[in-house]
Amino acid sequence: MSSNLSPTDRAKFASAQKASSFVEDGMKVGLGTGSTAAWMVRCLAERVKNEKLRIQAVPTSLRTAKLATELGIKIATLDALGRLDLTIDGADEFDADLNLIKGGGGALLQEKIVAAASDKMIVIADVEKRVETMGQFPLPVEVIGFGWQTSQKLIEKILVSHDLGGRRISRRMLGDKPFVTDEGNFILDMHLGQIGDAPQLGKSLNQVPGVVENGLFINMCAVAVIGAPDGSVELQGKRSAI
Ligand code: 5RP
């Protein structure tokens, strides 16, 4: 499966393959979104086929639902399954405490709902996603369409009182049209450079009425499975747990 891949994709594949081996027969599993998560779905589908693994899965986007279904993974709604054993998802950045920035693929809302409903979240990523301080990757914030510019102004006011490296906000576009999430909302990308206090920022952003959710996943992830281009994999727990 991993021949002819770019170095980054080899790293993503390695982490996805390792993480998929943590799924056990009978588990209820959350399936993340993005290119790394897509590798994980493919690896899991192989196990379903070859090992007759019986799992029920909740996808975090229409894209992931389509891929999982095509590959023969049985999917269900979150409400049908309730609590999940495990969610495996990608990330755009992660730090030593396994706090994450997610939403580069625009699926942060369903991803956060599914992760919060899971006993354990495993993040899968290539080694380039590991950062000292989060914020280099633009932080996505999902806002409803109604009054989105007013929401943006309120967010701008909030950002002034936070320790950040930058404060520019742009609405995400897809070609010449605004990007629209699976829930029909917009994404505002915050170009923050570095985030001094990510937990506090996450809480403040969610105080704005038009904000549905932000891409900071604080204290949600238990383990990172980090892939390198040579195909090796490193497991990282939270710094606070060591
Ligand atoms: C989607 C996400 C993705 O997990 C994140 O953007 C990483 O994507 P990729 O694995 O393609 O690098 O949060 O909303």
Side-chain angles (χ1 to χ4, degrees):
M1 219 189 261
S2 68
S3 55
N4 298 326
L5 295 181
S6 70
T8 302
D9 277 335
R10 272 203 305 275
K12 289 180 177 188
F13 173 76
S15 73
Q17 190 178 42
K18 178 72 183 173
S20 68
S21 73
F22 296 142
V23 176
E24 293 169 15
D25 194 40
M27 273 190 168
K28 299 173 188 172
V29 186
L31 305 176
T33 295
S35 57
T36 321
W39 281 119
M40 180 272 298
V41 171
R42 291 184 196 107
C43 292
L44 208 47
E46 286 284 303
R47 291 195 58 207
V48 167
K49 202 168 116 199
N50 299 336
E51 301 170 34
K52 309 278 177 265
L53 200 67
R54 287 159 305 167
I55 56 166
Q56 297 181 82
V58 176
T60 52
S61 62
L62 296 172
R63 266 166 292 164
T64 299
K66 185 169 180 290
L67 180 65
T69 307
E70 280 169 4
L71 296 176
I73 295 179
K74 194 170 162 193
I75 66 165
T77 63
L78 181 58
D79 288 340
L81 299 191
R83 197 89 202 137
L84 306 181
D85 298 294
L86 174 64
T87 282
I88 306 175
D89 200 349
D92 300 300
E93 281 185 355
F94 64 94
D95 68 11
D97 292 318
L98 297 189
N99 292 324
L100 320 172
I101 287 185
K102 284 187 51 55
L108 66 101
L109 179 56
Q110 290 188 25
E111 289 171 338
K112 205 180 258 194
I113 293 170
V114 169
S118 305
D119 291 345
K120 187 172 186 180
M121 179 189 192
I122 295 179
V123 77
I124 46 177
D126 62 280
V127 68
E128 299 292 322
K129 308 270 183 78
R130 176 160 42 198
V131 295
E132 196 72 38
T133 307
M134 292 192 296
Q136 201 61 45
F137 190 91
L139 173 65
V141 176
E142 183 157 344
V143 294
I144 67 162
F146 177 83
W148 71 270
Q149 287 167 308
T150 304
S151 298
Q152 178 171 334
K153 287 197 184 97
L154 285 173
I155 292 169
E156 279 161 0
K157 271 193 183 166
I158 281 175
L159 293 188
V160 172
S161 59
H162 282 266
D163 171 18
L164 303 166
R167 291 183 173 78
R168 188 171 68 80
I169 301 176
S170 56
R171 182 167 59 154
R172 190 175 299 179
M173 303 296 285
L174 190 61
D176 57 358
K177 294 205 171 69
F179 175 88
V180 176
T181 69
D182 283 356
E183 307 304 318
N185 299 315
F186 294 145
I187 298 277
L188 298 179
D189 286 312
M190 324 235 149
H191 305 265
L192 306 177
Q194 33 179 49
I195 303 172
D197 186 342
Q200 203 48 48
L201 178 63
K203 281 186 199 146
S204 299
L205 288 169
N206 283 11
Q207 298 301 312
V208 175
V211 168
V212 188
E213 196 42 87
N214 69 80
L216 287 167
F217 283 49
I218 306 296
N219 243 331
M220 299 186 83
C221 176
V223 177
V225 180
I226 307 157
D230 66 2
S232 62
V233 168
E234 179 197 337
L235 299 193
Q236 181 187 319
K238 289 182 194 205
R239 175 174 51 185
S240 47
I242 295 168

